[in-house]
Amino acid sequence: MKPALPLFFALLASTPAFAAPRTDVALDRGWQVRIDPADSAAGQAHPKETRWLPAHVPGSVQQDLIAAHRVPDPFKGTNEAAIQWVGLTDWQFRTQIAVSPAMLARDHLDLVFDGLDTFATVRVNGRVLLSADNAHRRWRADAKSLLKAGDNEILVTIASPIKQLAPLVLAAKHPLPGEYVSAFKDDPGDRQTSPYIRKPKYQYGWDWGPRIVTIGLWRPARLEAWDAARIETLRVEQDALNDAEARLTARATIVADRAKTVTLRTTMTAPDGTARTVEQAVAVAAGLNRVAIPLTVAAPQRWQPAGYGAQPLYTVATTLLVDGAASEQRARRIGLRTVSLDRRDGAFAFVVNGNRVFAKGANLIPFDSFPARVEAAEMQGLLTAARDANMNMIRVWGGGYYLDDAFYEMADRLGLMIWQDFMFGGSVTPPEAAFRENVRIEADEQVARLGDHPSIVLWAGNNEVLSGWENWSDRKAFKTAVGPDEQERIGTGMAVLFDRVLRDAVTRNSPGTPYMPGSPSSDYEGPTDTDANGDRHFWDVWSGSKPVEQYLDHCPRFMSEYGFQAMPTMATIRDFAGPGALDADGAVMKAHQKFLAGEGNARLRLYLDQRLRPAKDFADFVYLTQVNQAQAIGLAARHHRACRPVTMGSLFWQLNDVWPSISWASIDHLGQWKLLQYEARRFFAPQAIVAEHKDASTQVTLISDATTPIAARWRVTVRDMTGATLATREAAATLAPLSAATVATLPDPALFGAAPPAQSYAVAELLIDGRSVSRTIVERLAPKDMAYPDPGLTLRRDGDRATITATRLARAVMIDMGDMPGQASDNGFDLLPGESITVTLTGQQTPVLRTLAR
């Protein structure tokens, strides 16, 4: 019977009544890469790379060269420079795929590339199938006419994006302003090419990450075999939601190659496993068909943000039946919730299921310079760490890439709200209509892919593009140079892109999800990046070298960016610097400090000189910078929460690192928590006390994120350095739902009396059911001027548990795990005289205890 098989499939292809199920063949094996023979200059400079070597898909040529030991690991030492030539070179990738006569009998054989980075031409058996120019898009083409029975060669040629765009920027009298000038002088004439390409912008270098201009097939590729019709997309819109019923519409787009009647079978499965199925016959025409399937849910369970309830999820699965047989199925997991953005009178407040939620969280940059090697466990670990630190929101920053579906599924399960930027990182965008059309396709695809996730509560058009155009000095100089007509053309192009193209993509594909044209933004209601309207990016502290106390001068409507640097853990430093002496001003440290082109460690020292004591050695320098970071961001975040309801969000910069570096991250690239991450768990606690010392007075504010009242007590105790109690103030209080309330303003003479400022401090505590749930130390002087005693710390370890005890005040105690990876379950805490804490440790090394005492 085997000889008859090709004939059977030939009949199948010619007889529409027998459509077979869609079949996918992953193109993830057998790939090779080499320098494109047409790039003769690169071939002469790197002759070994003109021969084919193994390649990985998904991946990048940089990863393949590292694996083959052709280039050093750019994350180690000062190796970043040695890999720059790769992004300046044209490359070819190839593989072979065996195609059987049965496959050729199918109606369609589509080659699908989920990510081509970036200027790519795909050939099948020597003939051009498609050309790509956007790394953020999926590329699909029917390759059936180019395929044959037996082995077939797939050849992907990818041009250097820098070389590809060089003629354009060299010809421009005034090239568009970009983000960061290359430290390696590899852009043409020092003119940035990044504004002109749809590719992750951070790969061109940022002030926290390396310049690695990747090239490759960075997301999966496959061959799809299908007949008659297929499902292009499936979305689920929430039309109405109340306690009695949810009304939904599943919207399927069906691609058909001829007029036909098909059936859509849609099953909705509730969190408890009960399911309901509806079937709908649909007459489709050749081309794209949009089909609406009404669904209802009785007594719906609402998805809630972390801290506000559970995260029940429903599954909607639609099966396409052609000629009565299942052809393919698409499924979406959704959560039922309402979300809006309160913008009345300049406000910026998320309202989820009727609750005005104070957003607590951080900004997320890409996980790695090489996106294809990011594993689910890494994403899960980082998001879990955010949730465990009492965060409820993560902002996915716009200079990276749209993350994998798995990331948003994790956020759905954890209850983490996602602020999702479109991928525009800061550069001025080209004004041409063709560029906007390319972005329109990208935006429709990405919002359709991600828009059903209940975690996504905002789409923002860009990061700092519009605010930069309005406020930055280099943009002002550019506008003057190009003149009013060109300024208007470029400005109008950006307005159309961010106010119409991207807003319309959200309206079409995720109706009900708020949209803002950028961050920071006032949605064209007035000036951007002010306290009065919209969200803010506040960088007077750190970038502007202003004292950290300036955080207390601002109550913005929503603080979506503010940050303070610190060194990573010693284990991470050793991982990239190796053994031997360590010097903050050495070549390796400067290579991994991208702020101020490697000179950012001087800013670390500036703030240490302002606030803390001199470092005893390099490890102590690491400790002190982490203390400074934790205290600075803690001061700001607590202040933002005390400003409620004027301020309704605080997202610090940044949660993670893209490579092992000295940066603003609270969790370094090895996944090691800095002291800031531990402090975030304290300053983002659901119920908290804020005690701000300013202008010789302490203001006490009580905060609650609960939706019901809570009975509590607050207490402020003044002590001297011997541990003696000098004064106490306390009172009962009822924490109102979703509130911040100032309960006392205590002038220094009334609170501290005659106690010398250097020799005394106050402890502010919030107690619920007799237990302290939040505590903070109030000091009248900078820590460097305080007369901290020797705390008399001891550590007793028993297996993975350690108990630390202080005989006197111990400020900012760090359990330093040294040069090997290891963490404590709590760290960076204060201990009062006679107080003990027991923590869990990972790592077998003996930790060192550090404090602010001299």
Side-chain angles (χ1 to χ4, degrees):
M1 294 297 293
K2 285 186 178 180
L5 192 61
L7 177 61
F8 169 75
F9 275 96
L11 290 172
L12 190 70
S14 61
T15 309
F18 296 100
R22 194 190 88 182
T23 303
D24 291 356
V25 179
L27 302 180
D28 58 357
R29 296 182 181 181
W31 286 92
Q32 296 175 306
V33 65
R34 70 176 180 184
I35 292 175
D36 182 356
D39 193 345
S40 57
Q44 291 175 5
H46 304 280
K48 288 184 178 181
E49 285 69 40
T50 61
R51 297 186 290 273
W52 293 107
L53 65 143
H56 293 83
V57 173
S60 67
V61 65
Q62 284 89 344
Q63 291 170 258
D64 297 327
L65 293 173
I66 294 168
H69 305 290
R70 302 291 180 86
V71 296
D73 185 342
F75 284 16
K76 307 291 186 183
T78 58
N79 290 340
E80 180 189 355
I83 204 169
Q84 297 306 310
W85 68 271
V86 182
L88 291 164
T89 302
D90 302 334
W91 297 89
Q92 288 185 334
F93 296 79
R94 75 174 182 185
T95 191
Q96 284 195 336
I97 180 171
V99 177
S100 66
M103 292 172 67
L104 286 174
R106 301 298 296 269
D107 289 353
H108 303 274
L109 294 175
D110 290 356
L111 275 175
V112 183
F113 299 89
D114 287 340
L116 291 169
D117 187 8
T118 296
F119 295 118
T121 300
V122 179
R123 291 178 172 85
V124 178
N125 295 325
R127 297 168 62 187
V128 174
L129 175 69
L130 65 85
S131 294
D133 62 355
N134 187 329
H136 299 301
R137 284 176 54 183
R138 173 182 292 125
W139 297 90
R140 173 192 291 269
D142 193 337
K144 181 177 177 179
S145 64
L146 305 183
L147 293 167
K148 65 182 190 298
D151 290 336
N152 295 260
E153 183 184 68
I154 312 298
L155 182 72
V156 182
T157 303
I158 304 183
S160 160
I162 299 170
K163 285 169 47 180
Q164 179 84 2
L165 292 168
L168 174 65
V169 299
L170 289 172
K173 185 176 180 181
H174 300 288
L176 297 174
E179 290 95 0
Y180 289 89
V181 175
S182 172
F184 303 99
K185 307 297 182 183
D186 53 353
D187 266 326
D190 267 353
R191 296 176 169 212
Q192 296 181 58
T193 55
S194 63
Y196 299 90
I197 189 173
R198 293 306 297 142
K199 172 179 172 62
K201 297 306 178 75
Y202 79 103
Q203 294 170 346
Y204 289 84
W206 219 268
D207 60 359
W208 37 254
R211 182 178 175 93
I212 303 178
V213 183
T214 55
I215 289 173
L217 289 76
W218 74 283
R219 278 188 162 151
R222 61 192 172 277
L223 181 68
E224 289 186 5
W226 60 281
D227 299 324
R230 63 178 175 84
I231 302 176
E232 174 74 7
T233 61
L234 175 67
R235 299 188 294 106
V236 183
E237 291 181 9
Q238 181 181 285
D239 304 313
L241 174 64
N242 56 48
D243 291 342
E245 182 183 64
R247 294 197 300 276
L248 312 173
T249 302
R251 297 192 180 275
T253 54
I254 308 298
V255 175
D257 61 9
R258 54 189 177 269
K260 192 171 185 64
T261 297
V262 299
T263 300
L264 293 179
R265 179 185 296 150
T266 301
T267 299
M268 185 161 189
T269 305
D272 64 0
T274 58
R276 180 185 176 191
T277 300
V278 297
E279 285 196 4
Q280 182 173 332
V282 179
V284 296
L288 193 66
N289 301 265
R290 293 180 171 84
V291 182
I293 306 153
L295 301 169
T296 60
V297 180
Q301 302 176 53
R302 294 186 187 233
W303 182 93
Q304 298 284 3
Y308 290 80
Q311 292 78 43
L313 297 172
Y314 294 77
T315 300
V316 177
T318 293
T319 302
L320 172 67
L321 293 94
V322 180
D323 304 318
S327 175
E328 69 172 305
Q329 184 184 83
R330 294 288 183 94
R332 306 301 296 260
R333 283 174 65 82
I334 66 169
L336 304 177
R337 54 99 177 102
T338 60
V339 60
S340 62
L341 190 61
D342 182 357
R343 296 281 293 116
R344 292 172 295 179
D345 301 321
F348 198 107
F350 289 91
V351 182
V352 183
N353 297 323
N355 292 320
R356 279 173 63 91
V357 174
F358 189 99
K360 305 179 296 185
N363 289 260
L364 183 88
I365 63 172
F367 289 88
D368 199 284
S369 293
F370 304 112
R373 72 181 185 186
V374 176
E375 297 182 354
E378 182 178 354
M379 295 189 289
Q380 182 72 52
L382 203 67
L383 289 180
T384 301
R387 192 273 318 275
D388 290 348
N390 292 312
M391 298 183 193
N392 59 27
M393 178 174 281
I394 297 295
R395 174 182 174 231
V396 178
W397 169 78
Y401 56 93
Y402 305 95
L403 297 169
D404 294 343
D405 297 75
F407 171 86
Y408 302 93
E409 292 165 3
M410 294 170 190
D412 292 343
R413 294 193 296 270
L414 290 168
L416 287 171
M417 297 181 291
I418 299 297
W419 168 319
Q420 178 67 51
D421 281 1
F422 282 97
M423 291 301 117
F424 292 88
S427 61
V428 174
T429 55
E432 286 75 22
F435 178 85
R436 292 194 296 275
E437 175 61 14
N438 196 348
V439 173
R440 182 197 65 79
I441 298 169
E442 165 195 321
D444 272 340
E445 177 184 311
Q446 295 294 348
V447 181
R449 177 174 72 92
L450 301 174
D452 288 349
H453 289 282
S455 54
I456 297 180
V457 296
L458 178 75
W459 288 87
N462 65 81
N463 170 78
E464 296 183 353
V465 175
L466 297 176
S467 60
W469 181 250
E470 180 179 324
N471 298 321
W472 294 356
S473 59
D474 69 325
R475 271 52 169 172
K476 292 178 180 179
F478 173 80
K479 288 186 278 190
T480 299
V482 300
D485 291 345
E486 183 67 0
Q487 175 184 335
E488 182 178 3
R489 186 174 82 96
I490 294 172
T492 299
M494 287 193 291
V496 172
L497 175 62
F498 297 120
D499 194 37
R500 285 174 43 192
V501 173
L502 298 182
R503 192 187 299 271
D504 289 350
V506 175
T507 301
R508 279 192 300 273
N509 298 291
S510 188
T513 304
Y515 174 83
M516 288 290 285
S519 179
S521 175
S522 61
D523 203 4
Y524 301 102
E525 293 177 351
T528 60
D529 208 10
T530 70
D531 285 350
N533 194 323
D535 67 314
R536 283 215 71 180
H537 292 188
F538 185 78
W539 287 102
D540 287 2
V541 178
W542 184 263
S543 295
S545 299
K546 298 295 173 55
V548 298
E549 289 75 20
Q550 284 216 355
Y551 284 133
L552 303 181
D553 295 337
H554 298 272
C555 281
R557 311 313 294 265
F558 193 108
M559 190 68 89
S560 51
E561 268 194 33
Y562 63 102
F564 201 94
Q565 271 200 3
M567 300 289 285
T569 62
M570 283 295 297
T572 298
I573 292 171
R574 285 299 183 192
D575 186 65
F576 71 75
L582 297 170
D583 180 0
D585 295 319
V588 172
M589 288 301 154
K590 286 189 174 184
H592 289 257
Q593 165 62 279
K594 294 301 182 179
F595 181 64
L596 297 181
E599 300 302 325
N601 290 341
R603 191 65 49 87
L604 289 171
R605 283 192 291 270
L606 170 73
Y607 279 107
L608 289 185
D609 291 343
Q610 284 185 9
R611 299 193 68 252
L612 302 182
R613 60 167 174 78
K616 300 170 185 176
D617 52 32
F618 185 87
D620 197 44
F621 179 72
V622 170
Y623 160 71
L624 291 172
T625 65
Q626 290 200 22
V627 171
N628 229 7
Q629 180 191 42
Q631 291 185 348
I633 298 302
L635 180 76
R638 289 182 174 94
H639 175 70
H640 298 154
R641 297 187 73 188
C643 286
R644 184 178 188 161
V646 174
T647 303
M648 286 302 294
S650 183
L651 309 180
F652 66 77
W653 186 271
Q654 64 208 58
L655 181 64
N656 63 314
D657 271 330
V658 73
W659 77 320
S661 68
I662 304 158
S663 79
W664 297 265
S666 60
I667 300 175
D668 70 27
H669 195 253
L670 284 189
Q672 300 277 105
W673 287 26
K674 298 183 189 178
L675 296 186
L676 171 56
Q677 185 67 14
Y678 295 97
E679 185 66 11
R681 190 163 56 195
R682 293 185 275 268
F683 62 64
F684 282 150
Q687 285 73 46
I689 188 167
V690 178
E692 288 183 0
H693 187 265
K694 183 181 179 184
D695 300 329
S697 183
T698 301
Q699 180 174 285
V700 180
T701 302
L702 306 182
I703 295 164
S704 179
D705 291 333
T707 57
T708 56
I710 296 176
R713 292 188 69 81
W714 63 270
R715 180 169 65 212
V716 179
T717 305
V718 179
R719 293 175 177 247
D720 65 17
M721 292 303 173
T722 70
T725 297
L726 304 181
T728 300
R729 299 288 187 94
E730 67 178 302
T734 298
L735 307 182
L738 306 173
S739 69
T742 299
V743 294
T745 300
L746 306 173
D748 284 354
L751 179 61
F752 290 96
Q759 300 282 346
S760 59
Y761 59 96
V763 182
E765 293 180 284
L766 176 64
L767 299 100
I768 297 175
D769 295 329
R771 183 175 63 89
S772 179
V773 299
S774 177
R775 186 174 80 180
T776 187
I777 301 289
V778 180
E779 295 166 331
R780 288 173 284 170
L781 302 177
K784 68 177 183 177
D785 297 319
M786 296 296 293
Y788 297 129
D790 179 345
L793 288 174
T794 59
L795 182 146
R796 186 175 66 257
R797 183 167 185 173
D798 183 11
D800 62 353
R801 293 173 63 81
T803 299
I804 298 94
T805 303
T807 57
R808 289 168 292 277
L809 174 67
R811 288 285 273 131
V813 178
M814 181 191 210
I815 305 169
D816 186 348
M817 301 300 288
D819 292 354
M820 299 297 293
Q823 292 192 164
S825 58
D826 197 6
N827 217 338
F829 43 78
D830 299 317
L831 289 178
L832 300 179
E835 196 169 38
S836 295
I837 185 172
T838 298
V839 299
T840 302
L841 302 178
T842 62
Q844 298 304 310
Q845 60 271 38
T846 301
V848 173
L849 298 179
R850 301 184 185 275
T851 75
L852 288 181
R854 293 180 183 271

